[in-house]
Amino acid sequence: MDRPQTRMRFIGKAAAVSCAVAAAVVLIPTLTRSQPASTPFPPHSASKMSHRVVIQVTQNDPAIMNMALNNAENLVKYYKEKGEPLQVELVAYGPGLTMMRDDTSPVKDRLAAMSGSTKNVVFTGCGNTLTAQSKQENKEITLVSQARIVPAGIARIVELEEQGWTYVRP
């Protein structure tokens, strides 16, 4: 190799090392500060923050459906205790639509109970999936009375995220 190429490689590596050292000097003091585990997170502001969470269910698995419902219930309880407003929407599509189906939902009783006790939780089923499953099974499929239908479950999640909702997938 000739000397100019070797010198350029050396300069490039030296620059990369300099950047890494500079980043370490800035970040290490921040990263190594520790707080006791019992220290609560600082409050966001003096005003009551509004929380909006969309929970996606796309698997035909009762354990995941129950986890999604547990997430919703835990959020409701947590923010109620803090006195902060909360909205939760569970969106089921694909194989996860089983959660909202009147004929197959393994969590049908929980949906009814939650719907009666928590007004800030909404259940949504995908119209595309509903149509496809009805056609595939050669019968009309209905959702539990607590669920509403949206044209496309994935589009609903995108729209909510674009409005600033927090996305959760158990």
Side-chain angles (χ1 to χ4, degrees):
M1 254 186 241
D2 65 344
R3 294 178 69 92
Q5 286 180 333
T6 304
R7 187 174 301 145
M8 290 304 291
R9 285 188 182 143
F10 175 77
I11 291 170
K13 288 179 181 177
V17 168
S18 297
C19 289
V21 169
V25 168
V26 171
L27 293 176
I28 287 177
T30 304
L31 296 174
T32 57
R33 281 187 219 131
S34 63
Q35 294 181 348
S38 62
T39 303
F41 292 106
H44 293 286
S45 68
S47 66
K48 297 293 182 195
M49 184 177 209
S50 179
H51 305 278
R52 299 173 304 167
V53 179
V54 57
I55 301 174
Q56 173 183 312
V57 179
T58 57
Q59 293 176 286
N60 183 4
D61 181 344
I64 290 179
M65 294 172 193
N66 277 299
M67 184 181 298
L69 294 171
N70 291 345
N71 289 167
E73 287 177 333
N74 289 337
L75 284 167
V76 168
K77 180 181 179 200
Y78 179 79
Y79 287 112
K80 183 177 182 179
E81 289 173 359
K82 290 182 74 170
E84 296 178 9
L86 169 73
Q87 294 175 307
V88 177
E89 184 165 335
L90 287 97
V91 180
Y93 64 92
L97 188 66
T98 299
M99 177 182 193
M100 305 292 178
R101 285 180 54 163
D102 194 45
D103 61 341
T104 60
S105 176
V107 292
K108 188 175 181 176
D109 293 338
R110 277 192 80 184
L111 295 174
M114 283 181 71
S115 181
S117 66
T118 53
K119 301 300 178 203
N120 53 342
V121 177
V122 174
F123 304 108
T124 303
C126 174
N128 288 334
T129 302
L130 186 65
T131 300
Q133 288 180 359
S134 292
K135 186 175 181 179
Q136 182 181 17
E137 296 177 30
N138 199 27
K139 67 178 185 177
E140 184 178 343
I141 296 172
T142 59
L143 300 185
V144 295
S145 63
Q146 298 82 21
R148 62 186 185 147
I149 300 172
V150 294
I154 188 63
R156 178 65 180 159
I157 290 172
V158 168
E159 290 167 352
L160 292 174
E161 283 192 282
E162 289 173 346
Q163 294 170 24
W165 287 56
T166 300
Y167 168 85
V168 174
R169 181 173 181 215

